Amino acid sequence: MAAGDRKTNRWLKAALLAGAAMCAIVSGSALPAQAQAPNIGAMEPNLPDDAKLLLAANELVYNNDSDKVIARGAVQINYGGYKLVARQVEYDQKTGRLKAIGNIELIEPTGNRVYGDEMDLSDDFANGFINALRIETTDLTKLAATSGERVNGEELILNHAVYTACTPCATNPTHRSLWEIKAERVVQNGRTHTIRLEKARFEMFGKPIAYIPVLEMPDYTVKRKTGFLFPQFNYAQKLGLGITTPYYFALAPDMDATVSPTILTRQGFLAEVEFRKRFHNGLVTLRAAGISQWNPSSFDDNTSDQRDGFRGMVASEGQFKINPRWTFGWDVMLQSDNNFSRTYELDGLKDRIHTNQGYLTGLGRRNSFDLRAFYFDVQDADPDSKLERQQAIAQTLDHEYIVPQPVLGGELSITTNITNIQRDLADFYSLGASDRFRGLEGGTTRLTSELEWKRQFIVPGGLVLTPMLAARGDMHRLDMTAPIGYDGTYNTDDSATRTMLTAGLEARYPILATTANSTHLFEPIAQLYARPDEDYAGGLPNEDSQSFVFDATNLFERDKFSGFDRIEGGSRANVGMRYTGTFDNGLRLRSIVGQSFHLGGVNSFASDDLVNAGANSGLETDASDFVSMAGIDLPNGLSLASSARLDKDDLSVRRSDTSLRFDGARFETEITYTRIAAQPDYGLAKNASEIQTAAAFKFQDYWSVFGSLTYDLRSHSLSRNGVGFSYDDRDTVFSIVYEQTRDKSNSTANDWSIGARLMFRTLGDVRVGDTTLTGFE
């Protein structure tokens, strides 16, 4: 039945409000932990003014003698998104008390559910209790108490409470969480916004492992509060066991800081502090760390890690959004030596090369802008920091623009790049009787601008033709020391200009073949590019085009060099075939095969430069090596992918990468084999081959073992290996990992490390070192 008169509406509203208030007892529901305190104290639910109230019951009784209204039998009340179900609901208009009895279930608009056997509340919600309380929340946590009581409108008391998180229970109601928290009393004070646990204990596998007589912490209304955070642990070979006790400072609504002192059993006291300041459009972070090492001699001889006295660093990050399209920021670090952050494994600062940079970026519908300044901090144990001094200090500007309106029916784009480089020491290595120069001492500036126009035509019969035109110009400022021992011809002037004009045509002819249970797409592709020779080939600095691998991914690129410092010159044709096949049973096939031909002019890949980038690339001859790529994906989770470069004369393998992957319900693995034939002119004197593999086996629900290794087939040695063991049911995560690295460059101070992690959802995460394995995802 629906409520009609004012008197009935009053008690029905009271019934729902009272039930909703009890639901709010644990509306965010987590028994207190440092990581998350429960929402157990909303004094009154939030109900809309125009909410409609509906009541359904087998019997509705108005007792004028006792001034009570009673609803009996399958009582259902729906009001403002709250739903209350009980066997009986009784409202005493004399005392202002409301009682609900029998199989009480209350569902709040957020989806949280509250269950109980008996509920008794005053109509102002200031006082009341509920027996046999049980709460299930939408974030899959559970709270139970023998009773809950509200006192004086500001204190909520739960007696004999038990809390746990149980994500697997959503699909497996019989699952029991590994851990739970029990407390004789949980008291929330709505005035002080605190939660106090009395006689609490933390249990795992049904056994108590920690006892806390009294613990008080902020409730859910307090977002940040000064105090200790969960301790952290780590262990490394030459640092020993480390125990970190972070302390958090809530300085202001827009500022906070964390001080993280660490005791290392072998090296002493490591101090670390991080300060954060938020602005209306960005965030700034400042970090500092330092240590005076107890035992420098534990590190390898003649390394920067053996430094006596103080070692430390300061770092800062910032990011600001000027408007929806423009952003600027920075990431910088300054160290007392070149290996401190890597040796002490500081989060976010321990990479082999830390890129210090400042940037300004913009992104529009048809243009992009990127301005950056770089300084590369090479973290290794070289006490002279030679590698770092050989790195360039660089500033770059990249701008791309696509003209919004068609030009002659096609698309016109403009690309601009400005690069300025300064280097303290020349970066070179010897190869036989000659030297190779990755970078020259001194400075250089290059301005590059390129226009490209292309248009697509589909002719009768399905042939797709794409003509294109491109024009590029470069201006160079050269203030670098000329390379001594360079075999090629180097331009010694203090400036240089060069141009490149290209006319090209691409033809594709897609052929679609279908059968009763499969579809196949064959696509022959041919490209022709006509252009003059490259100006100053090998006579200018090459900073951004040194890394070059010819394979199926760049077969159809107009300019196959990876950067702007080299330009592909001379006329060239690229031909190949692309294939894709799909089958109804889930099988998928894909492949590319092709070859490139130098047709006229000077072959840029046969022209020597400071690093001999094109040597042994497979493109230095008139007819290139063959390149191919093929892959197959089976419906059972097995996939195989391979790419290769084959010698044009005898089809011997010059380079290959093959990976086999399997993804199953309990077992997953990936094996990658890489083989590179000797490239003596480029710098690889001998054949190189390597196997990388990673695997994980789920031997029981939530339990897994995993491992990875990298094996150098040429030297017959393991370069990296590791193994780990884990339990993960999404509420509890436990893992332990051992990893060993054989680092001949001495860039890593620790040859082996052990990592462990113990995480309880909604409570906290304790880590010891790093629990990720290299090569394992």
Side-chain angles (χ1 to χ4, degrees), residues 726-743:
S726 72
Y727 173 90
D728 184 356
D729 66 3
R730 290 176 290 175
D731 294 321
T732 307
V733 176
F734 168 74
S735 60
I736 185 167
V737 169
Y738 169 83
E739 185 169 18
Q740 186 175 18
T741 303
R742 293 159 182 81
D743 182 13

PDB file of all heavy atoms in Angstrom, residues 726-743:
ATOM      1  N   SER A 726      54.258 -16.075  -5.015  1.00  0.00           N
ATOM      2  CA  SER A 726      53.264 -15.084  -4.598  1.00  0.00           C
ATOM      3  C   SER A 726      51.920 -15.728  -4.279  1.00  0.00           C
ATOM      4  O   SER A 726      51.586 -16.806  -4.783  1.00  0.00           O
ATOM      5  CB  SER A 726      53.061 -14.029  -5.690  1.00  0.00           C
ATOM      6  OG  SER A 726      52.350 -14.566  -6.792  1.00  0.00           O
ATOM      7  N   TYR A 727      51.176 -15.031  -3.428  1.00  0.00           N
ATOM      8  CA  TYR A 727      49.772 -15.311  -3.150  1.00  0.00           C
ATOM      9  C   TYR A 727      49.011 -14.023  -3.407  1.00  0.00           C
ATOM     10  O   TYR A 727      49.407 -12.948  -2.941  1.00  0.00           O
ATOM     11  CB  TYR A 727      49.568 -15.754  -1.700  1.00  0.00           C
ATOM     12  CG  TYR A 727      48.102 -15.887  -1.313  1.00  0.00           C
ATOM     13  CD1 TYR A 727      47.438 -17.084  -1.490  1.00  0.00           C
ATOM     14  CD2 TYR A 727      47.404 -14.802  -0.788  1.00  0.00           C
ATOM     15  CE1 TYR A 727      46.102 -17.206  -1.156  1.00  0.00           C
ATOM     16  CE2 TYR A 727      46.064 -14.918  -0.445  1.00  0.00           C
ATOM     17  CZ  TYR A 727      45.412 -16.123  -0.636  1.00  0.00           C
ATOM     18  OH  TYR A 727      44.086 -16.238  -0.315  1.00  0.00           O
ATOM     19  N   ASP A 728      47.887 -14.098  -4.151  1.00  0.00           N
ATOM     20  CA  ASP A 728      47.140 -12.886  -4.490  1.00  0.00           C
ATOM     21  C   ASP A 728      45.668 -13.232  -4.654  1.00  0.00           C
ATOM     22  O   ASP A 728      45.272 -13.843  -5.643  1.00  0.00           O
ATOM     23  CB  ASP A 728      47.688 -12.272  -5.780  1.00  0.00           C
ATOM     24  CG  ASP A 728      47.016 -10.955  -6.131  1.00  0.00           C
ATOM     25  OD1 ASP A 728      46.077 -10.545  -5.421  1.00  0.00           O
ATOM     26  OD2 ASP A 728      47.437 -10.324  -7.121  1.00  0.00           O
ATOM     27  N   ASP A 729      44.857 -12.857  -3.663  1.00  0.00           N
ATOM     28  CA  ASP A 729      43.411 -13.012  -3.797  1.00  0.00           C
ATOM     29  C   ASP A 729      42.724 -11.649  -3.878  1.00  0.00           C
ATOM     30  O   ASP A 729      41.534 -11.540  -3.627  1.00  0.00           O
ATOM     31  CB  ASP A 729      42.833 -13.842  -2.655  1.00  0.00           C
ATOM     32  CG  ASP A 729      42.958 -13.150  -1.301  1.00  0.00           C
ATOM     33  OD1 ASP A 729      43.436 -12.009  -1.256  1.00  0.00           O
ATOM     34  OD2 ASP A 729      42.552 -13.746  -0.284  1.00  0.00           O
ATOM     35  N   ARG A 730      43.489 -10.624  -4.193  1.00  0.00           N
ATOM     36  CA  ARG A 730      43.074  -9.225  -4.343  1.00  0.00           C
ATOM     37  C   ARG A 730      42.842  -8.537  -3.010  1.00  0.00           C
ATOM     38  O   ARG A 730      42.860  -7.315  -2.942  1.00  0.00           O
ATOM     39  CB  ARG A 730      41.835  -9.093  -5.242  1.00  0.00           C
ATOM     40  CG  ARG A 730      42.126  -9.400  -6.700  1.00  0.00           C
ATOM     41  CD  ARG A 730      40.874  -9.354  -7.531  1.00  0.00           C
ATOM     42  NE  ARG A 730      39.985 -10.456  -7.226  1.00  0.00           N
ATOM     43  CZ  ARG A 730      38.771 -10.608  -7.741  1.00  0.00           C
ATOM     44  NH1 ARG A 730      38.291  -9.692  -8.571  1.00  0.00           N
ATOM     45  NH2 ARG A 730      38.025 -11.651  -7.425  1.00  0.00           N
ATOM     46  N   ASP A 731      42.631  -9.271  -1.947  1.00  0.00           N
ATOM     47  CA  ASP A 731      42.539  -8.672  -0.616  1.00  0.00           C
ATOM     48  C   ASP A 731      43.861  -8.821   0.131  1.00  0.00           C
ATOM     49  O   ASP A 731      44.228  -7.955   0.924  1.00  0.00           O
ATOM     50  CB  ASP A 731      41.430  -9.343   0.197  1.00  0.00           C
ATOM     51  CG  ASP A 731      40.066  -9.076  -0.384  1.00  0.00           C
ATOM     52  OD1 ASP A 731      39.830  -7.951  -0.831  1.00  0.00           O
ATOM     53  OD2 ASP A 731      39.239 -10.000  -0.411  1.00  0.00           O
ATOM     54  N   THR A 732      44.544  -9.915  -0.111  1.00  0.00           N
ATOM     55  CA  THR A 732      45.833 -10.162   0.496  1.00  0.00           C
ATOM     56  C   THR A 732      46.827 -10.490  -0.609  1.00  0.00           C
ATOM     57  O   THR A 732      46.558 -11.345  -1.453  1.00  0.00           O
ATOM     58  CB  THR A 732      45.763 -11.348   1.475  1.00  0.00           C
ATOM     59  OG1 THR A 732      44.702 -11.140   2.407  1.00  0.00           O
ATOM     60  CG2 THR A 732      47.075 -11.507   2.220  1.00  0.00           C
ATOM     61  N   VAL A 733      47.942  -9.778  -0.627  1.00  0.00           N
ATOM     62  CA  VAL A 733      48.998 -10.042  -1.603  1.00  0.00           C
ATOM     63  C   VAL A 733      50.289 -10.286  -0.842  1.00  0.00           C
ATOM     64  O   VAL A 733      50.708  -9.458  -0.024  1.00  0.00           O
ATOM     65  CB  VAL A 733      49.177  -8.868  -2.586  1.00  0.00           C
ATOM     66  CG1 VAL A 733      50.347  -9.130  -3.520  1.00  0.00           C
ATOM     67  CG2 VAL A 733      47.897  -8.637  -3.379  1.00  0.00           C
ATOM     68  N   PHE A 734      50.885 -11.433  -1.094  1.00  0.00           N
ATOM     69  CA  PHE A 734      52.194 -11.751  -0.521  1.00  0.00           C
ATOM     70  C   PHE A 734      53.096 -12.233  -1.641  1.00  0.00           C
ATOM     71  O   PHE A 734      52.716 -13.086  -2.441  1.00  0.00           O
ATOM     72  CB  PHE A 734      52.091 -12.827   0.556  1.00  0.00           C
ATOM     73  CG  PHE A 734      53.425 -13.377   0.968  1.00  0.00           C
ATOM     74  CD1 PHE A 734      54.270 -12.624   1.766  1.00  0.00           C
ATOM     75  CD2 PHE A 734      53.845 -14.622   0.535  1.00  0.00           C
ATOM     76  CE1 PHE A 734      55.518 -13.114   2.127  1.00  0.00           C
ATOM     77  CE2 PHE A 734      55.087 -15.124   0.900  1.00  0.00           C
ATOM     78  CZ  PHE A 734      55.921 -14.362   1.700  1.00  0.00           C
ATOM     79  N   SER A 735      54.296 -11.688  -1.717  1.00  0.00           N
ATOM     80  CA  SER A 735      55.245 -12.142  -2.729  1.00  0.00           C
ATOM     81  C   SER A 735      56.652 -11.978  -2.210  1.00  0.00           C
ATOM     82  O   SER A 735      56.941 -11.083  -1.401  1.00  0.00           O
ATOM     83  CB  SER A 735      55.068 -11.362  -4.043  1.00  0.00           C
ATOM     84  OG  SER A 735      55.269  -9.982  -3.836  1.00  0.00           O
ATOM     85  N   ILE A 736      57.536 -12.852  -2.666  1.00  0.00           N
ATOM     86  CA  ILE A 736      58.950 -12.771  -2.347  1.00  0.00           C
ATOM     87  C   ILE A 736      59.728 -13.082  -3.621  1.00  0.00           C
ATOM     88  O   ILE A 736      59.367 -13.999  -4.373  1.00  0.00           O
ATOM     89  CB  ILE A 736      59.334 -13.722  -1.194  1.00  0.00           C
ATOM     90  CG1 ILE A 736      60.796 -13.522  -0.799  1.00  0.00           C
ATOM     91  CG2 ILE A 736      59.036 -15.177  -1.540  1.00  0.00           C
ATOM     92  CD1 ILE A 736      61.166 -14.181   0.507  1.00  0.00           C
ATOM     93  N   VAL A 737      60.765 -12.282  -3.893  1.00  0.00           N
ATOM     94  CA  VAL A 737      61.481 -12.354  -5.161  1.00  0.00           C
ATOM     95  C   VAL A 737      62.981 -12.302  -4.904  1.00  0.00           C
ATOM     96  O   VAL A 737      63.453 -11.501  -4.068  1.00  0.00           O
ATOM     97  CB  VAL A 737      61.069 -11.188  -6.096  1.00  0.00           C
ATOM     98  CG1 VAL A 737      61.988 -11.110  -7.299  1.00  0.00           C
ATOM     99  CG2 VAL A 737      59.633 -11.362  -6.556  1.00  0.00           C
ATOM    100  N   TYR A 738      63.714 -13.145  -5.599  1.00  0.00           N
ATOM    101  CA  TYR A 738      65.182 -13.103  -5.598  1.00  0.00           C
ATOM    102  C   TYR A 738      65.636 -12.827  -7.027  1.00  0.00           C
ATOM    103  O   TYR A 738      65.176 -13.468  -7.978  1.00  0.00           O
ATOM    104  CB  TYR A 738      65.771 -14.419  -5.114  1.00  0.00           C
ATOM    105  CG  TYR A 738      67.273 -14.523  -5.331  1.00  0.00           C
ATOM    106  CD1 TYR A 738      68.167 -13.954  -4.422  1.00  0.00           C
ATOM    107  CD2 TYR A 738      67.785 -15.180  -6.447  1.00  0.00           C
ATOM    108  CE1 TYR A 738      69.532 -14.051  -4.620  1.00  0.00           C
ATOM    109  CE2 TYR A 738      69.152 -15.272  -6.654  1.00  0.00           C
ATOM    110  CZ  TYR A 738      70.026 -14.708  -5.734  1.00  0.00           C
ATOM    111  OH  TYR A 738      71.371 -14.793  -5.946  1.00  0.00           O
ATOM    112  N   GLU A 739      66.552 -11.846  -7.198  1.00  0.00           N
ATOM    113  CA  GLU A 739      67.058 -11.530  -8.534  1.00  0.00           C
ATOM    114  C   GLU A 739      68.561 -11.321  -8.475  1.00  0.00           C
ATOM    115  O   GLU A 739      69.082 -10.701  -7.536  1.00  0.00           O
ATOM    116  CB  GLU A 739      66.376 -10.278  -9.097  1.00  0.00           C
ATOM    117  CG  GLU A 739      66.781  -9.976 -10.524  1.00  0.00           C
ATOM    118  CD  GLU A 739      65.925  -8.916 -11.176  1.00  0.00           C
ATOM    119  OE1 GLU A 739      65.249  -8.171 -10.435  1.00  0.00           O
ATOM    120  OE2 GLU A 739      65.930  -8.831 -12.419  1.00  0.00           O
ATOM    121  N   GLN A 740      69.256 -11.855  -9.492  1.00  0.00           N
ATOM    122  CA  GLN A 740      70.704 -11.733  -9.573  1.00  0.00           C
ATOM    123  C   GLN A 740      71.077 -11.142 -10.918  1.00  0.00           C
ATOM    124  O   GLN A 740      70.536 -11.522 -11.956  1.00  0.00           O
ATOM    125  CB  GLN A 740      71.370 -13.106  -9.401  1.00  0.00           C
ATOM    126  CG  GLN A 740      72.887 -13.048  -9.336  1.00  0.00           C
ATOM    127  CD  GLN A 740      73.502 -14.407  -9.036  1.00  0.00           C
ATOM    128  OE1 GLN A 740      72.847 -15.426  -9.198  1.00  0.00           O
ATOM    129  NE2 GLN A 740      74.748 -14.433  -8.606  1.00  0.00           N
ATOM    130  N   THR A 741      71.998 -10.174 -10.898  1.00  0.00           N
ATOM    131  CA  THR A 741      72.446  -9.500 -12.108  1.00  0.00           C
ATOM    132  C   THR A 741      73.959  -9.557 -12.193  1.00  0.00           C
ATOM    133  O   THR A 741      74.649  -9.261 -11.210  1.00  0.00           O
ATOM    134  CB  THR A 741      71.999  -8.026 -12.112  1.00  0.00           C
ATOM    135  OG1 THR A 741      70.582  -7.967 -11.977  1.00  0.00           O
ATOM    136  CG2 THR A 741      72.398  -7.338 -13.401  1.00  0.00           C
ATOM    137  N   ARG A 742      74.449  -9.933 -13.363  1.00  0.00           N
ATOM    138  CA  ARG A 742      75.893  -9.927 -13.587  1.00  0.00           C
ATOM    139  C   ARG A 742      76.229  -8.712 -14.433  1.00  0.00           C
ATOM    140  O   ARG A 742      76.079  -8.729 -15.649  1.00  0.00           O
ATOM    141  CB  ARG A 742      76.320 -11.231 -14.279  1.00  0.00           C
ATOM    142  CG  ARG A 742      76.143 -12.443 -13.372  1.00  0.00           C
ATOM    143  CD  ARG A 742      76.053 -13.737 -14.154  1.00  0.00           C
ATOM    144  NE  ARG A 742      75.832 -14.877 -13.265  1.00  0.00           N
ATOM    145  CZ  ARG A 742      74.633 -15.203 -12.785  1.00  0.00           C
ATOM    146  NH1 ARG A 742      73.571 -14.484 -13.114  1.00  0.00           N
ATOM    147  NH2 ARG A 742      74.492 -16.238 -11.976  1.00  0.00           N
ATOM    148  N   ASP A 743      76.670  -7.658 -13.759  1.00  0.00           N
ATOM    149  CA  ASP A 743      76.868  -6.364 -14.397  1.00  0.00           C
ATOM    150  C   ASP A 743      78.361  -6.097 -14.552  1.00  0.00           C
ATOM    151  O   ASP A 743      79.041  -5.739 -13.599  1.00  0.00           O
ATOM    152  CB  ASP A 743      76.203  -5.270 -13.548  1.00  0.00           C
ATOM    153  CG  ASP A 743      76.333  -3.905 -14.189  1.00  0.00           C
ATOM    154  OD1 ASP A 743      76.711  -3.848 -15.367  1.00  0.00           O
ATOM    155  OD2 ASP A 743      76.050  -2.907 -13.498  1.00  0.00           O
TER     156      ASP A 743
END
